């Protein structure tokens, strides 16, 4: 952690895994009062997990995937919403399914996770993979969430929350030949998320 715009850094801090020693795919986001960290464990039923940090103290870890009806979560991504709460997206398997889905879930700043979660998928044979999400203030201060991800067929999709009323989402295709999508916003108040991905049309990829 740096407290002087990156001029100096505190000593490294190892956050030992509580479930096993094979931690992977960390994602970190900063809010007004705390940091939120999500990560997964290899072959763990209730991955991903989260911790929050207020100042210099990290919380114990909490399962983000538990009670969602999905398992073996991986590739988590985290952001902080306008209420200073974490939101997360990851890919995992619905019970009994053979292809991975994208799961979105809203949490709270005390490192607990709420009942609002939703699962997106492309059917029984197509994996939806590697989500990246951002929160932004939409027009009129509305709650905005965008998730980008790629599939096992090398397409890139955008999953957009369009209304909090009976939460409604729209899914569109950004590319028919892409992977490893990433998303952020140009600034917090603009309501203009921006995204990128690699073009898989031919090697070398762009």
């Amino acid at each position: 952690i740096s407290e002087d715009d990156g001029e100096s850094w505190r000593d490294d801090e190892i956050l030992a895994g509580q479930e096993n020693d094979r931690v992977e795919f960390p994602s970190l986001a900063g809010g007004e009062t705390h940091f939120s960290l999500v990560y997964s464990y290899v072959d763990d039923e209730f991955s991903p997990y989260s911790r929050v940090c207020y100042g210099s103290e990290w919380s114990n870890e909490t399962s983000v995937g538990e009670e969602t009806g999905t398992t073996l979560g991986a590739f988590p991504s985290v952001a902080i919403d306008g209420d200073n709460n974490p939101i997360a997206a990851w890919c995992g398997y619905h019970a009994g399914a053979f292809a991975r889905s994208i799961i979105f879930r809203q949490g709270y700043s005390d490192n607990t996770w709420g009942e609002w979660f939703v699962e997106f998928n492309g059917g029984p044979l197509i994996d939806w993979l590697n989500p990246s999400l951002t929160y932004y203030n939409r027009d009129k201060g509305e709650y905005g969430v965008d998730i980008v991800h790629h599939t096992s067929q090398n397409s890139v999709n955008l999953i957009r929350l369009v209304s909090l009323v009976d939460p409604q989402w729209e899914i569109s295709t950004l590319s028919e030949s892409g992977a490893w999508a990433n998303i952020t916003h140009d600034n917090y108040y603009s309501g203009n998320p921006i995204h990128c991905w690699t073009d898989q049309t031919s090697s070398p990829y762009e």
Side-chain angles (χ1 to χ4, degrees):
I1 297 175
S2 174
E3 297 176 334
D4 54 10
D5 297 323
E7 293 294 327
S8 61
W9 294 83
R10 295 184 192 174
D11 292 338
D12 293 344
E13 183 175 0
I14 297 176
L15 302 176
Q18 294 177 195
E19 296 300 320
N20 64 48
D21 59 359
R22 296 180 293 172
V23 183
E24 58 184 1
F25 309 122
S27 176
L28 181 68
E32 293 180 2
T33 59
H34 66 283
F35 299 101
S36 182
L37 171 70
V38 296
Y39 50 91
S40 58
Y41 291 107
V42 175
D43 297 328
D44 180 82
E45 181 178 1
F46 298 119
S47 278
Y49 291 84
S50 66
R51 297 175 188 262
V52 296
C53 177
Y54 286 87
S56 60
E57 297 295 325
W58 287 92
S59 71
N60 292 329
E61 69 181 18
T62 299
S63 170
V64 187
E66 193 170 8
E67 300 180 352
T68 63
T70 63
T71 189
L72 298 176
F75 303 105
S77 177
V78 68
I80 303 294
D81 71 13
D83 298 318
N84 208 35
N85 291 320
I87 53 175
W90 69 96
C91 63
Y93 290 95
H94 192 87
F98 295 100
R100 281 169 282 195
S101 303
I102 300 296
I103 304 96
F104 165 87
R105 192 172 190 182
Q106 184 185 49
Y108 301 101
S109 59
D110 63 356
N111 200 35
T112 59
W113 293 86
E115 296 181 358
W116 182 28
F117 63 88
V118 60
E119 182 181 350
F120 310 94
N121 63 67
L125 300 177
I126 301 174
D127 284 316
W128 283 24
L129 303 163
N130 302 86
S132 174
L133 89 164
T134 191
Y135 171 83
Y136 59 96
N137 271 335
R138 294 170 54 206
D139 292 342
K140 301 178 183 178
E142 295 179 1
Y143 196 97
V145 176
D146 275 9
I147 305 169
V148 293
H149 73 95
H150 75 263
T151 76
S152 55
Q153 295 186 328
N154 277 347
S155 63
V156 174
N157 293 335
L158 169 65
I159 304 171
R160 170 165 286 176
L161 177 67
V162 294
S163 175
L164 276 178
V165 179
D166 297 324
Q168 299 175 36
W169 301 78
E170 289 182 351
I171 301 174
S172 58
T173 299
L174 300 176
S175 173
E176 295 287 356
S177 180
W180 311 112
N182 199 3
I183 192 168
T184 186
H185 48 264
D186 56 3
N187 67 71
Y188 179 79
Y189 296 101
S190 73
N192 294 321
I194 54 177
H195 34 69
C196 63
W197 60 87
T198 61
D199 183 355
Q200 304 293 105
T201 304
S202 62
S203 181
Y205 301 140
E206 298 179 344

